[in-house]
Amino acid sequence: MPAYSRLATVLALSLVVTCTIWLLIPSTLLLSSRRTVVTSLKDEQVRNNTSPSSVPHYLRLLIPGSDINDNLCKTLISAAVLDYPSPTLINFGKVFDDETLIFGGSHIAKIWGVLDYLNSLDRIYDDGIAVLVDGYDVWFQLRPEVLLGRYFSTITYQNGRIRTQLGNEAARNEDVSQKVIFSSQKRCWPKEADSPACYAVPESSLRPDVYGLDTDTDVDDERNLYLRHRQRFLNSGMAMDPVSALRAIFQRALEKTKEKGVGFGSDQGIFAEIFGEQEFQRHCIAKQYRRASKPNRIVDAWNKEFDVTDPQTAGTHEIMDCAGDNTYDFGIGLDYDMILSQATVFSEYDTAWLRLDDAHAIEQASLAQTPLTEPRVNAGRIPADIARSRPPFHTELERRLYTADLPLEKSWGQVPLFTNLYTGFSPVAVHHNAHRDGLKGRIQSHWNETWFQPYARTLLDLRVMEPARPIEVEVDVVEGRGEEGSSSIKRAYWAPHASDFENERAGVTTIAGDFMRYEQMCTGWEELFRDDKGPWRDPRERV
């Protein structure tokens, strides 16, 4: 055989062997390698600033928490088992005992701590999304891809409301658009009724009869006068927005903290004030453009009667000077439908834990609430965004020995979800901030109602054992302000790297850059797992 023929034969055999070995390599190793290669490539592109499209979009989870207890660990575990990015703890290890501030200053420190973290980030990552949640009473129950999809759909809807309120020309010329979504609640607190935070903010977008004929009126219940009010006011328990927008809001919030005196200490009061000022100025913008347009005497007379910016009709309301521009506009809007987060304060009896496939249970829970005469939760019809997300017990290792005790076959309709009986929506996160009559105790009594708690030990094992790879979530993103002609694109959001790359799925990072593993942080494993199996240990280190 000629020498070149022998050489060709050897090369062909080598190629076959190489391809065979490649095909036999475990997928976990390939995924691990893929992360290293992709991350290195992206970081190199970012450093060289080769093109804007090369910069990865990150999904960051920020959780204020100065000390560890079971309640903070519940928040962390709920995020971990649903495959959220490993969170960054804000203000961990700090002591708040300033007697001149409410809660010792811990709530105001949330502003300083978050701003410090945001200022530490490279500005090239400003288009990434940050999710900020309270650390001691928020549980996730749906996956991050659902959260992102709902965020962007809410942004699109709110931009439509802005155009209706201001007009297309004003919204475009004054660069007014929605960027930031805060949670909502029924009562304006802690601001007073004459504050712009209470009177100048938009009406709720919930249907006007969502609570029956007496919607938005006080009820004869001294425990909670606001049971029949729609969600209209800001709640700071959850916020979601681009990093650049969040930084601007927190910078303004920091400036406001310096203006306050002794006894102050509510971060919610600060953010509500910023929101109220924004909305007052949007009234000014609308008025300015309305005057410049062709006059309509009937409309103008009606607008004057209800003009919140007019001192003659303001009454006792605190009014501002109209700025004439968008200086006060931070793109803040609210999650009126409570599809991102359900705050339970002032809504103590609006919700129930339901399996969406259980028509009988849905009917019973619904008819127990006044004034519902029929269920608004669609039994057997799982919302499309939830149905599209990975099933509850899906993991990359679902066919391994470790999943023997998991009900892999269960769908989202077969697991309990915290659901609003009046809107029919199951929120991504539950905010247990109801506090009257001992209702804060639901943080303990409702923990085993979550679909994941009975399986939390195994799900946490699987979270840690899965291959180290980016968490990618693709969502429809409407560019611009959702105006006619905008296009939808697919975008992947990546989990930012923790300081401990190899173990980042097994713990959290502080803003100081320290990495803490779950077994170092959490000690109340019996409360967390309730399975009498003792403390949790990293499954990779078990003998």
Side-chain angles (χ1 to χ4, degrees):
M1 179 182 293
Y4 68 83
S5 297
R6 289 196 299 272
L7 178 59
T9 302
V10 169
L11 290 175
L13 289 172
S14 299
L15 180 60
V16 170
V17 170
T18 301
C19 291
T20 303
I21 292 173
W22 179 259
L23 291 172
L24 292 175
I25 294 175
S27 60
T28 54
L29 294 180
L30 294 181
L31 286 169
S32 181
S33 300
R34 177 176 176 270
R35 174 172 189 163
T36 303
V37 172
V38 171
T39 301
S40 299
L41 176 63
K42 285 183 178 291
D43 288 347
E44 185 65 27
Q45 289 172 333
V46 168
R47 283 193 294 272
N48 295 334
N49 197 25
T50 54
S51 73
S53 61
S54 68
V55 179
H57 291 87
Y58 288 126
L59 175 62
R60 303 178 187 274
L61 178 57
L62 312 181
I63 302 179
S66 57
D67 63 312
I68 298 298
N69 62 28
D70 292 349
N71 293 337
L72 177 59
C73 287
K74 288 175 180 177
T75 301
L76 299 178
I77 287 177
S78 74
V81 301
L82 279 153
D83 212 15
Y84 280 78
S86 295
T88 298
L89 284 187
I90 306 297
N91 292 332
F92 181 75
K94 295 188 177 181
V95 177
F96 303 105
D97 55 5
D98 188 336
E99 295 181 356
T100 67
L101 296 174
I102 297 173
F103 302 112
S106 61
H107 288 202
I108 289 302
K110 172 181 173 180
I111 295 173
W112 306 329
V114 170
L115 185 60
D116 283 347
Y117 171 76
L118 297 174
N119 284 335
S120 73
L121 300 177
D122 195 311
R123 295 303 193 270
I124 60 176
Y125 298 118
D126 273 7
D127 285 342
I129 299 296
V131 181
L132 175 65
V133 300
D134 282 354
Y136 297 97
D137 54 7
V138 173
W139 304 341
F140 291 95
Q141 65 171 354
L142 296 174
R143 294 197 182 276
E145 53 263 42
V146 179
L147 179 67
L148 278 168
R150 291 182 177 186
Y151 165 76
F152 284 110
S153 66
T154 303
I155 289 293
T156 301
Y157 174 77
Q158 293 288 0
N159 277 325
R161 288 193 84 191
I162 289 174
R163 293 194 302 275
T164 299
Q165 175 190 357
L166 302 184
N168 288 332
E169 182 183 8
R172 181 174 57 253
N173 293 349
E174 302 301 327
D175 193 24
V176 176
S177 65
Q178 209 67 55
K179 305 180 186 72
V180 184
I181 302 297
F182 276 89
S183 295
S184 63
Q185 66 180 44
K186 297 180 177 183
R187 179 186 176 189
C188 187
W189 184 90
K191 308 303 290 183
E192 298 296 329
D194 285 332
S195 165
C198 299
Y199 76 81
V201 298
E203 291 296 323
S204 175
S205 60
L206 289 175
R207 52 190 279 186
D209 64 343
V210 65
Y211 294 110
L213 296 178
D214 56 352
T215 295
D216 288 342
T217 61
D218 293 351
V219 298
D220 187 18
D221 187 335
E222 62 181 12
R223 298 172 303 169
N224 183 359
L225 300 176
Y226 308 94
L227 286 173
R228 297 287 176 262
H229 283 256
R230 291 180 293 171
Q231 278 73 3
R232 182 188 175 191
F233 306 105
L234 184 145
N235 179 278
S236 63
M238 182 176 186
M240 189 171 178
D241 38 14
V243 168
S244 57
L246 191 65
R247 183 187 297 115
I249 291 172
F250 273 75
Q251 181 60 51
R252 177 59 180 145
L254 180 63
E255 294 168 2
K256 281 190 167 292
T257 64
K258 297 176 181 179
E259 303 169 2
K260 305 298 178 180
V262 175
F264 173 71
S266 169
D267 65 294
Q268 178 159 303
I270 287 283
F271 294 121
E273 194 170 297
I274 294 173
F275 181 44
E277 291 174 351
Q278 168 191 283
E279 294 306 315
F280 185 97
Q281 295 297 328
R282 286 185 180 180
H283 282 288
C284 291
I285 292 173
K287 182 178 180 179
Q288 172 189 340
Y289 276 80
R290 188 170 59 247
R291 284 177 172 174
S293 64
K294 185 178 296 186
N296 182 317
R297 293 183 179 180
I298 297 176
V299 173
D300 195 56
W302 185 89
N303 283 326
K304 182 173 180 59
E305 181 181 354
F306 296 97
D307 183 3
V308 301
T309 69
D310 190 337
Q312 295 181 3
T313 60
T316 59
H317 287 172
E318 303 168 12
I319 62 172
M320 307 168 62
D321 293 330
C322 287
D325 55 29
N326 67 354
T327 300
Y328 289 88
D329 207 292
F330 293 89
I332 299 173
L334 304 188
D335 175 25
Y336 298 107
D337 290 327
M338 297 157 285
I339 57 176
L340 304 181
S341 174
Q342 167 79 59
T344 57
V345 69
F346 310 121
S347 302
E348 294 87 350
Y349 304 108
D350 291 1
T351 54
W353 294 93
L354 296 172
R355 290 173 175 81
L356 299 185
D357 279 352
D358 191 339
H360 179 67
I362 289 173
E363 182 177 26
Q364 282 190 317
S366 300
L367 298 185
Q369 295 298 315
T370 304
L372 293 178
T373 57
E374 62 181 7
R376 294 179 183 170
V377 180
N378 291 320
R381 296 180 59 186
I382 311 305
D385 58 347
I386 299 177
R388 285 195 304 266
S389 67
R390 286 166 295 158
F393 298 99
H394 171 86
T395 72
E396 294 298 322
L397 306 176
E398 66 182 4
R399 290 179 175 81
R400 300 287 181 92
L401 176 63
Y402 297 94
T403 63
D405 64 339
L406 295 183
L408 300 177
E409 75 287 349
K410 284 195 173 184
S411 69
W412 285 109
Q414 297 170 311
V415 298
L417 294 175
F418 195 74
T419 302
N420 190 299
L421 298 169
Y422 292 91
T423 67
F425 294 126
S426 301
V428 174
V430 182
H431 187 191
H432 281 295
N433 57 343
H435 52 79
R436 67 168 180 79
D437 299 334
L439 291 178
K440 202 70 175 176
R442 287 177 174 176
I443 296 177
Q444 283 73 45
S445 62
H446 279 204
W447 177 236
N448 62 343
E449 299 279 359
T450 63
W451 64 265
F452 54 80
Q453 190 282 323
Y455 311 96
R457 185 184 293 271
T458 299
L459 291 171
L460 188 59
D461 284 352
L462 294 174
R463 151 79 175 204
V464 171
M465 292 172 61
E466 284 181 345
R469 59 182 179 82
I471 303 170
E472 292 185 279
V473 284
E474 293 190 355
V475 298
D476 290 323
V477 182
V478 180
E479 298 293 344
R481 302 190 191 92
E483 297 176 2
E484 186 176 351
S486 295
S487 60
S488 295
I489 63 174
K490 287 288 187 179
R491 179 180 294 170
Y493 284 81
W494 298 59
H497 300 314
S499 54
D500 186 343
F501 179 82
E502 293 300 321
N503 294 305
E504 63 184 2
R505 291 173 63 80
V508 303
T509 302
T510 69
I511 56 174
D514 299 322
F515 184 80
M516 295 185 297
R517 295 168 65 156
Y518 293 127
E519 63 265 43
Q520 295 175 298
M521 299 175 53
C522 302
T523 57
W525 296 110
E526 181 52 39
E527 167 60 16
L528 298 173
F529 294 149
R530 302 183 183 184
D531 60 3
D532 298 322
K533 294 182 180 180
W536 181 82
R537 290 182 56 199
D538 190 324
R540 299 169 299 175
E541 299 177 358
R542 297 175 195 159
V543 179

